[in-house]
Amino acid sequence: MVVPVAFFALFFAWPVVSIVERGLRVDGVWQFGRFGETLSRPEILDVLWFTLWQALASTGLTLLIALPGAYVFARFDFPGKGLLRAVVTVPFVMPTVMVGTAFLALVGRGGLLDELWGVRLDTTVWAILIAHVFFNYAVVVRTVGGLWAQLDPRQEEAARVLGASRWKAWRTVTLPALAPSVAAAALMVFLFTASSFAVVQILGGSTYSTLETEIYRQTVVRFDLTTAAVLTMVQFVAVGVVLAVHARIVRRRETALRMVAPEETARRPRGVGQWALFVAVLLSVALLIVLPLGVLVERSFATSHGYGLDYYRALRTPDPSGTFLVPLLDTIGNSLRYAVVATLIALVIGGLAAAALTRRAGRLVRGFDALLMLPLGVSAVTVGFGFLITLDEPPFDLRASWILVPLAQALVGVPFVVRTMLPVLRAVDERLREAAAVLGASPWRAWREVDLPLVRRALLIAAGFAFAVSLGEFGATVFIARPDSPTLPVAVARLLGRPGELNYGQAMALSTILMVVCAVSLLLLERLRTERTSGEF
Amino acid sequence: MSTTPVSIKKAAAAALVAALGVTTLAACGTDDAREAAGKSGAPAPKTVTLVSHDSFNASKEVLAEFTKQTGFTVKVLKSGDAGEAVNKEILTKGSPQGDVFFGVDNTLLSRALDNGIFVPYAAKGLDRIPEAYQLDKEQHRVTPIDSGDICVNYDKKYFADKKLAPPVTFDDLAKPAYRNLLVVENPERSSPGLGFLLGTAAKYGDEGWQDYWKKLKANGVKTVDSWELAYNQEFSGSAGGKQAKGDRPLVVSYASSPPVEVLYGEPQPKVAPTGVSTGTCFRQTEFAGLLNGAKNPEGGKALIDFLISKKFQEDMPLQMFVNPVAKDAALPELFTQHGVVVDTPETMAPEKIAEKRDPWIQQWSSLVLK
């Protein structure tokens, strides 16, 4: 408990509080009057309203489209399942600039929809909502699907044998068991979409702005730290409310679950209904995720003289201007190294926090639970600027240190670790631990024999998330990555920032490589999971 | 929070770092650890840290030359886009991230100077830089390093196919012949967009620019948020724009964009596919300054001298696609062959930009976006 608390105090709370204080206290005088003034400005109210409703709409849409997907991934067995699960997670790591480009190619002027049906969505809010589904599909599939796959279907079958209808059995047995993880997934999607920055910047054009883009604008463009601080406080309160609501839902629904190995629950689809669902899910994945990614892949091969590997070949040679001091292929190694360190930090911190939260109850601990989620909802620019004015004294003048990259990445990874592990840890029947203790097992042995096998899967899912987040992280990385060791997304952004065919083509090629690296890493994690079955009881 | 005793912060941090140390040090290179150890041990730092925006680049050879001449190694810290980087320096005033800041341009200069982030230093070799660039010549808090022009670029093929002369001046852009052809960036979110707005304000005056933009709007100007989107997505003349089926043959970009299209053509074309409307330009000058509170002021001074040396100035064009300011620096062939000379760019005093920037952007938004 001490380590995660210290971690958050030092790398999150302190920087954020400092930067807010800087904005709200001018010449030693607190500017609380600015709250009313700022919050009564009509353009700020517009921003708040848009932030709220687009996040709710995005969350609803994502659940609507992704929950059937979670079911299919959890309960059906089909060839290529692992690969497909990795593919749906790829959007998560894609640099948003690239995704914006891909979406415009689909729904923008001259895009696929435009050519087929004359439909253009690039200046509408639909483009934002669909892109949010694209980015967050994996959150639902992985958090809900992960638990769903381990629920024992025999419980539901038992209910039906006892005379319950299919719907009633599902509602009374499966739904209560799933509810906490659905709520957790919905919450994460809500936090992501409410603090969505690049998607709104790119696809929303100049028409739409969210709280996050407004904080960025006030901080970076206008340098109005007071307004930014007021908005940050609003963001805090809003996130706090969401987290409080979530905590209530989860507490009410928490039950010990019977869990089995996912391999035992999955089977081939049977009957018209199941096949229809299966095909519908595959189709939605193809349209929403594979197609936009495919556009990027296609462009990475499209040279001015037909399809070819020219851009990939160019990645191995130094840039003609010498801008990138190393061949661009080296960026893959940089990205992987950062991501591994960030994942380890996130697993250590998140794992300790989750363990502490399972063992202890009480208001304070629950408050800490909520606190761990805050980084997901708080503006990156606030945290980044906060880092600058706090971590500036030796020996912790970390502002120029490489460690800041994985630290910042881990900050976003920890909530995933906690959220994916908590439902599973809490669902472990306490009697199993007690039984182990009665049979003479030490606490450590009990944990190893009871908790670990059950948690392994959640741990790997969590690691996958933390890894993916770190691999694709851009905001914090670009801020500190050294010029001689840029990460892959940073290199992509720099390439896109310059004219010329080679730059554009190399950006597409690097993005394609990023997709493949991410998919392969996730597949390896999946492999680890099945090496040893976890169905030991 | 600022009242927390430093020792407590450090103790907490130490405990944490100790806890993390095992995992992190095992996973990453030992170079960093060695470097960190060296930093706290040595009293006279041998490195000089240059803080800049993301677009900063210099070739390895040139940086090695600096080390050879002075004994200092340059460490570069990229700090976000230009505005973000300047704001960060203001926030960390007195405890800066480095010794020298490079990349504050005339649109942000007043903000930086008014906040006192620089200390005066008259660089050696200043006499080789024309006075027109020296916007702080009384106090020498900043030294001009490079300049570049923000101009409308055109798609040569489009205008050749249509047998239409490409536009040359601001006035031309509002003519019916160029209806629905121009894409610009939102000046609030993009520095070329801001440069273009300031160019029109310099050209038509504090009152007149609004009428000009009304005409542009009536003539079908399109606005997007970033240079990347405008250039790679909407502009028909760039490689990305062609793939994305961009349909705007006019875009706000830089006078140096055509040579870059040649450099990164695959294969390199004989002539640039794009051209520059030379009567639509706004001149940007970038400055460097010695940071207030620099840990290595001696190295910083040497670095500023080096930034205006012939060696560095001649390296810049192909690294950052800007023009040198030193009179004795020659342009690379790529620039002399494919670039254009902008004789009479629009300019504006930094104080005026500081004063008018926000209200103008606001007026622009309600005029063009609404």
Side-chain angles (χ1 to χ4, degrees), chain B residues 336-357:
Chain B
T336 50
Q337 213 179 332
H338 303 286
V340 290
V341 180
V342 180
D343 292 320
T344 51
E346 303 296 337
T347 55
M348 195 178 288
E351 302 80 41
K352 182 162 179 182
I353 297 174
E355 181 197 346
K356 300 285 193 180
R357 179 193 159 104

Side-chain angles (χ1 to χ4, degrees), chain B residues 112-321:
Chain B
L113 293 181
D114 293 347
N115 280 285
I117 60 172
F118 296 122
V119 288
Y121 171 65
K124 293 190 187 77
L126 260 187
D127 50 318
R128 294 155 41 246
I129 297 174
E131 294 233 332
Y133 292 120
Q134 301 194 27
L135 296 183
D136 188 42
K137 53 180 171 268
E138 282 80 32
Q139 297 188 57
H140 297 300
R141 288 166 296 183
V142 288
T143 307
I145 307 294
D146 67 70
S147 88
D149 296 307
I150 290 164
C151 312
V152 168
N153 284 21
Y154 58 84
D155 176 2
K156 283 184 181 167
K157 187 171 178 297
Y158 175 91
F159 289 101
D161 288 352
K162 288 266 151 85
K163 300 198 167 48
L164 180 67
V168 179
T169 62
F170 283 118
D171 279 344
D172 288 348
L173 297 175
K175 287 179 183 163
Y178 306 108
R179 192 176 176 81
N180 295 335
L181 300 190
L182 175 66
V183 57
V184 302
E185 298 88 359
N186 181 346
E188 173 151 41
R189 303 191 181 197
S190 142
S191 60
L194 177 63
F196 187 68
L197 171 63
L198 294 174
T200 63
K203 169 80 183 173
Y204 298 103
D206 294 11
E207 310 302 325
W209 70 264
Q210 301 211 21
D211 285 330
Y212 175 72
W213 276 93
K214 277 180 200 151
K215 283 187 211 151
L216 276 190
K217 193 181 180 187
N219 212 27
V221 69
K222 177 168 186 173
T223 309
V224 295
D225 269 8
S226 68
W227 177 89
E228 284 83 352
L229 273 186
Y231 197 84
N232 289 328
Q233 201 73 40
E234 302 286 342
F235 181 44
S236 61
S238 69
K242 279 191 196 100
Q243 286 213 13
K245 304 198 187 85
D247 60 0
R248 298 256 158 178
L250 297 172
V251 66
V252 171
S253 187
Y254 296 89
S256 58
S257 302
V260 185
E261 282 285 346
V262 174
L263 180 65
Y264 289 100
E266 180 71 17
Q268 287 196 359
K270 294 216 163 45
V271 285
T274 56
V276 170
S277 305
T278 50
T280 62
C281 298
F282 179 78
R283 179 150 294 174
Q284 246 181 334
T285 305
E286 283 191 301
F287 303 84
L290 188 62
L291 286 166
N292 188 357
K295 289 187 189 69
N296 183 359
E298 284 321 301
K301 286 174 185 170
L303 183 58
I304 291 176
D305 296 344
F306 185 73
L307 292 178
I308 57 169
S309 72
K310 189 161 182 272
K311 185 101 188 165
F312 186 85
Q313 291 275 309
E314 289 188 343
D315 183 50
M316 277 186 328
L318 287 184
Q319 294 297 329
M320 294 185 266
F321 313 114

Side-chain angles (χ1 to χ4, degrees), chain A residues 275-320:
Chain A
W275 273 106
L277 177 70
F278 181 65
V279 171
V281 164
L282 286 191
L283 216 62
S284 67
V285 169
L287 269 177
L288 270 168
I289 294 171
V290 179
L291 199 60
L293 295 177
V295 169
L296 297 182
V297 177
E298 192 262 337
R299 286 195 182 172
S300 74
F301 291 108
T303 69
S304 51
H305 46 83
Y307 289 107
L309 287 171
D310 304 30
Y311 299 137
Y312 289 87
R313 263 186 232 118
L315 294 176
R316 281 185 309 186
T317 49
D319 173 90

Side-chain angles (χ1 to χ4, degrees), chain B residues 51 79 85-93 96-97 101 117 291:
Chain B
V51 187
S79 189
V86 171
N87 293 349
K88 284 178 185 167
E89 287 317 310
I90 296 173
L91 272 181
T92 57
K93 179 186 162 189
Q97 302 185 80
F101 182 81
I117 60 172
L291 286 166

Side-chain angles (χ1 to χ4, degrees), chain A residues 12-86:
Chain A
F12 181 71
W14 183 30
V16 170
V17 169
S18 302
I19 190 80
V20 168
E21 184 195 4
R22 181 82 160 241
L24 283 181
R25 204 166 70 172
V26 179
D27 302 323
V29 183
W30 288 96
Q31 310 277 309
F32 291 118
R34 292 295 299 270
F35 271 90
E37 187 216 316
T38 305
L39 295 179
S40 56
R41 272 160 38 199
E43 75 270 19
I44 298 287
L45 289 176
D46 281 351
V47 166
L48 293 177
W49 172 235
F50 178 72
T51 308
L52 182 70
W53 83 253
Q54 71 79 20
L56 285 173
S58 298
T59 309
L61 199 62
T62 307
L63 286 177
L64 196 69
I65 296 176
L67 276 178
Y71 177 77
V72 164
F73 276 104
R75 286 293 196 234
F76 290 165
D77 191 19
F78 52 93
K81 184 168 149 182
L83 181 69
L84 199 65
R85 199 192 340 247

Side-chain angles (χ1 to χ4, degrees), chain A residues 3 6-7 10-11 14 17-19 21-22 25 101 104 109-110 115 201-202 205-206 208-209 216-217 219-223 225 299 302 304-305 310-311 319-323 325 341 344-345 348-349 385 388-389 392-397 399-400 402-403 407 478-479 482-483 494 496-504, chain B residues 1-2 6 9-10 12-14 16-17 19-20 23-24 27-28 32 35 54 57-58 60 75-79 81 83-84 87-88 90-92 95-97 111 186 188-189 222-225 227-229 231-234 239-240 243-247 257 260-261 263-267 295 318-319 321 357-358 362 369:
Chain A
V3 176
F7 181 84
L10 186 66
F11 295 116
W14 183 30
V17 169
S18 302
I19 190 80
E21 184 195 4
R22 181 82 160 241
R25 204 166 70 172
T101 308
L104 286 176
R109 161 198 27 78
E115 277 176 7
Q201 284 271 55
I202 293 171
S206 305
Y208 299 106
S209 66
Y216 177 83
R217 196 175 78 109
T219 312
V220 170
V221 184
R222 310 198 56 174
F223 205 51
L225 292 182
R299 286 195 182 172
S304 51
H305 46 83
D310 304 30
Y311 299 137
D319 173 90
S321 80
T323 295
L325 300 174
V341 178
L344 287 175
I345 300 177
V348 170
I349 303 289
F385 272 55
L388 276 181
I389 59 169
D392 64 342
E393 286 160 19
F396 298 108
D397 188 359
R399 295 175 304 175
W402 65 272
I403 188 79
L407 281 176
V478 70
F479 170 82
R482 292 178 181 183
R494 294 214 177 119
L496 278 180
R498 292 192 305 189
E501 191 182 338
L502 192 57
N503 286 322
Y504 186 80
Chain B
M1 211 65 193
S2 57
V6 173
K9 292 185 207 164
K10 282 185 184 165
L16 182 68
V17 169
L20 292 174
T23 49
T24 55
C28 249
D32 300 294
E35 193 179 289
D54 292 338
N57 282 305
K60 232 177 197 164
K75 187 175 155 196
V76 180
L77 202 65
K78 298 192 186 186
S79 189
D81 69 33
E84 199 177 338
N87 293 349
K88 284 178 185 167
I90 296 173
L91 272 181
T92 57
S95 172
Q97 302 185 80
R111 185 186 287 173
N186 181 346
E188 173 151 41
R189 303 191 181 197
K222 177 168 186 173
T223 309
V224 295
D225 269 8
W227 177 89
E228 284 83 352
L229 273 186
Y231 197 84
N232 289 328
Q233 201 73 40
E234 302 286 342
Q243 286 213 13
K245 304 198 187 85
D247 60 0
S257 302
V260 185
E261 282 285 346
L263 180 65
Y264 289 100
E266 180 71 17
K295 289 187 189 69
L318 287 184
Q319 294 297 329
F321 313 114
R357 179 193 159 104
D358 284 352
Q362 207 139 25
L369 296 182

